[in-house]
Amino acid sequence: MTARMLDGRALAGRLERSLQQEVETFAAMFGRRPRLVVVLVGDMAASASYVKSKSLAAARVGIDSDVVPVAATASTADLVALVKALASEKHGPADGILVQLPLPPHVDTVAVLDAVPPDRDVDGFHPENAGLLSQGRPRFIPCTAAGVQRMLIDAEIPTAGKHVVIVGRSDIVGKPLALLLASRPPVGCPPDGTGGCDASVTICHSRSGDLGHLTRQADILVAAVGRPGLITADMVRKGAAVIDVGINRVEGKLVGDVDYGPVSEVAGWISPVPGGVGPMTVAMLMSNTLLAAEIRRRP
Ligand code: GUN
């Protein structure tokens, strides 16, 4: 079997084109554009590159965006004060505020993320947004999790009654994705099971023991750990959909968590790295920023 590719780049392009029209409608109605402010702490090359992708996407869809660079030596108190200042009126309407992660080790990341007002938390990391998602009434859904669900929906890969195995229990990807895919169908969900919900979900992590035993049971396998080559062909059930969320730099090249070549001989579907989940994460951030602007609806 040679897997069909889940082309996240192409889908993100289609989503961006439709978002661009919605942004124009917003701008015509309210006389301003949605605005995203990204806080970039330190000089990690990977973070700078992700932030650049976000700024470029914002420009493509017509969202105003600013990057606020901060020295790696900034303290937790400095960053909390900055986030609060960005959220105050005198700095202009920042509909969405995003603090690029990871922060330097001396910084209390939770304290900084909790300072982002929940109605501008386009990452969906604030406990209020995480709580809303867990109760089945999401507001801002974390972008990578939303992007993976959208890829499954777009490819019409059934989730209802299927077994999803997620490797990785992070607050950014694993946990919100498990909640999303296991959720009850929202109004308008297609009746044929391709709505990205109603799945049975297993979350695996570093203490899961025989990982292969669990991953081989997956109809849909999601790898979100950040370890190159973690998922090998013998860990995948024939015909399964394999979604690779990992982004690792190996000898200057970007690779995922999945051993792509051999796994694509076994899987029914596979997402590449780069060009899979990454562009979808960025597209969903643009969607969350427009949603934040619509929630605020300020002239
Ligand atoms: N670093 C890696 N992924 C993310 C993300 O989704 N949001 C933020 N803020 N930082 C990240």
Side-chain angles (χ1 to χ4, degrees):
M1 167 171 278
T2 301
R4 279 175 284 180
M5 193 179 77
L6 291 161
D7 187 342
R9 189 169 285 141
L11 175 55
R14 277 184 271 135
L15 291 174
E16 281 186 10
R17 282 189 283 285
S18 116
L19 275 170
Q20 187 188 18
Q21 305 206 330
E22 291 178 54
V23 167
E24 289 313 318
T25 303
F26 178 94
M29 281 180 80
F30 299 107
R32 70 173 186 90
R33 291 180 174 277
R35 180 160 168 255
L36 172 68
V37 176
V38 178
V39 176
L40 175 60
V41 183
D43 51 10
M44 275 182 59
S47 290
S49 148
Y50 299 144
V51 167
K52 189 167 175 206
S53 304
K54 292 168 185 178
S55 303
L56 290 172
R60 285 194 298 272
V61 302
I63 287 176
D64 289 338
S65 76
D66 284 305
V67 178
V68 180
V70 181
T73 50
S75 67
T76 301
D78 293 336
L79 291 169
V80 167
L82 171 65
V83 168
K84 287 186 174 163
L86 290 171
S88 77
E89 288 299 317
K90 60 182 182 301
H91 282 78
D95 298 296
I97 298 174
L98 179 146
V99 180
Q100 185 65 29
L101 301 179
L103 294 175
H106 66 273
V107 172
D108 178 349
T109 299
V110 171
V112 176
L113 294 180
D114 283 2
V116 176
D119 63 343
R120 305 191 200 201
D121 169 36
V122 285
D123 257 332
F125 295 165
H126 191 281
E128 185 174 311
N129 289 315
L132 287 170
L133 175 61
S134 81
Q135 291 187 348
R137 46 192 188 126
R139 180 169 48 192
F140 297 115
I141 301 172
C143 304
T144 303
V148 170
Q149 185 192 40
R150 192 61 84 91
M151 286 171 93
L152 294 170
I153 293 171
D154 182 72
E156 299 182 342
I157 294 171
T159 49
K162 300 298 179 185
H163 188 185
V164 176
V165 176
I166 300 173
V167 187
R169 58 179 157 185
S170 71
D171 292 337
I172 297 181
V173 184
K175 277 191 247 174
L177 182 59
L179 287 167
L180 268 185
L181 297 181
S183 65
R184 289 182 190 280
V187 176
C189 193
D192 62 359
T194 60
C197 51
D198 276 335
S200 304
V201 181
T202 299
I203 300 184
C204 307
H205 47 75
S206 50
R207 303 294 296 270
S208 286
D210 187 349
L211 188 59
H213 172 71
L214 294 165
T215 59
R216 275 188 293 276
Q217 296 172 39
D219 299 302
I220 298 168
L221 175 60
V222 181
V225 175
R227 193 162 346 136
L230 175 71
I231 305 296
T232 47
D234 60 306
M235 296 167 75
V236 177
R237 180 197 276 187
K238 194 166 187 296
V242 178
I243 314 287
D244 193 349
V245 179
I247 302 181
N248 312 289
R249 246 163 254 265
V250 176
E251 292 164 6
K253 261 185 66 181
L254 280 189
V255 297
D257 289 351
V258 174
D259 192 10
Y260 187 87
V263 169
S264 62
E265 295 300 317
V266 180
W269 292 92
I270 191 165
S271 73
V273 177
V277 175
M280 289 299 296
T281 298
V282 177
M284 300 322 286
L285 174 64
M286 299 305 122
S287 171
N288 276 352
T289 304
L290 174 60
L291 173 63
E294 286 168 346
I295 288 172
R296 301 180 62 70
R297 271 205 315 266
R298 286 190 314 206

